[in-house]
Amino acid sequence: MTGARWTAATAIDAPGTPETEWARWDGLLRLPAAALPRGPVLVVAAHPDDEVLGFGGTMATLSADGNDVHLVSVTDGEGSHPRSPLVSPAELTVMRETELEHAVADLGLPGLRPRRLQVPDTRVHQHEGEVRAGITAALRETGAVLCAAPWTGDLHSDHEAAGRAAGAACLAAGVPLWLYPVWMWHWAFPGDERVPWQDAARIALPPEASTRKQRAIQRFTSQIMPLTASEGDAAILPPEELAHHMRPFEVVFR
Ligand SMILES: [Zn+2]
């Protein structure tokens, strides 16, 4: 997800909503089911892990059903540990590329290689035109019948900019867009009025897809474990954060 510089720092830095609270809320159970398409699907991620956290179970399901899944990585995620005394952004790029490769293999997509736009991490909003062009090209090349991208209201600048760029590209190409939240599960709460629940839909994950997703998430060791014992190297995604992404369903805004 990449930490530190948020659109609304206070929303992300504050303690998050425990997964037990989400689990108690019947609002998630009442969401309409999203019907999965038949045909190629293009998934956009701001950082290498967003796609697995927010949409990985659906990626696994789509693939198991025989659909092609394609991926655009907007950044390489090199900015996740800006205060790390020991691990450089260049090293993080390599680490995260390898983690993603293993994670998508766990999803059942062993040959999937992302189209990397290599936009600077934390600066996606300054490169929206370039991102839009990259997504437009990917939509054309893949013949995607659906695109999924980070939610434009996620309160993370890179996620929102990637979602907006995908929105512009999909509108011009006439391709439907689903927006998946990532950080929302941290800062929002059940019934939160900042969330467009009326646009939300639920994708139930078959047990195998759910298991695949949970396994894939464990591949992101640079994000879920402390990078080193140093202060700037704390885990970006501690267990209480990961809990939101271990559910047997995913939610998108349409
Ligand atoms: Zn992210």
Side-chain angles (χ1 to χ4, degrees):
M1 309 209 256
T2 288
R5 295 141 309 275
W6 320 100
T7 313
T10 49
I12 305 279
D13 289 343
T17 300
E19 178 58 16
T20 47
E21 268 189 51
W22 288 113
R24 274 201 299 269
W25 185 45
D26 65 354
L28 289 181
L29 291 173
R30 291 198 310 263
L31 295 178
L36 297 186
R38 285 234 157 260
V41 174
L42 179 68
V43 183
V44 175
H47 314 103
D49 70 356
D50 297 326
E51 67 294 269
V52 175
L53 294 167
F55 205 65
T58 306
M59 290 169 71
T61 307
L62 287 164
S63 175
D65 289 348
N67 303 287
D68 287 337
V69 178
H70 305 275
L71 181 58
V72 168
S73 290
V74 173
T75 78
D76 288 341
E78 74 279 7
S80 63
H81 293 75
R83 288 172 290 122
S84 175
L86 294 174
V87 182
S88 71
E91 287 167 321
L92 269 166
T93 294
V94 175
M95 290 167 76
R96 301 194 69 173
E97 184 183 8
T98 306
E99 289 170 0
L100 181 64
E101 195 176 316
H102 289 137
V104 296
D106 284 343
L107 293 180
L109 293 155
L112 179 61
R113 294 293 173 271
R115 169 194 275 262
R116 290 163 65 187
L117 302 186
Q118 299 190 295
V119 162
D121 195 353
T122 75
R123 302 267 182 274
V124 178
H125 63 287
Q126 293 169 357
H127 298 264
E128 265 183 62
E130 191 182 329
V131 176
R132 175 187 169 163
I135 296 170
T136 298
L139 288 171
R140 197 172 44 235
E141 279 171 24
T142 60
V145 298
L146 174 73
C147 180
W151 179 42
T152 48
D154 212 30
L155 295 185
H156 182 302
S157 166
D158 281 350
H159 291 196
E160 295 184 359
R164 283 193 303 267
C170 288
L171 187 65
V175 174
L177 175 67
W178 290 356
L179 296 168
Y180 60 83
V182 177
W183 277 109
M184 184 197 85
W185 302 113
H186 169 89
W187 56 256
F189 49 84
D192 196 321
E193 289 182 357
R194 294 169 293 177
V195 177
W197 298 111
Q198 69 281 0
D199 299 332
R202 176 183 164 105
I203 303 163
L205 304 178
E208 192 193 333
S210 195
T211 303
R212 283 182 176 279
K213 177 181 180 178
Q214 292 178 12
R215 197 186 310 145
I217 287 175
Q218 302 303 326
R219 296 291 192 170
F220 298 114
T221 46
S222 70
Q223 309 297 299
I224 67 176
M225 310 281 281
L227 208 50
T228 71
S230 303
E231 199 190 333
D233 285 346
I236 308 288
L237 292 165
E240 61 270 25
E241 213 56 63
L242 285 183
H244 303 312
H245 306 285
M246 297 294 188
R247 304 165 180 161
F249 64 91
E250 290 171 342
V251 172
V252 292
F253 301 110
R254 303 182 290 182

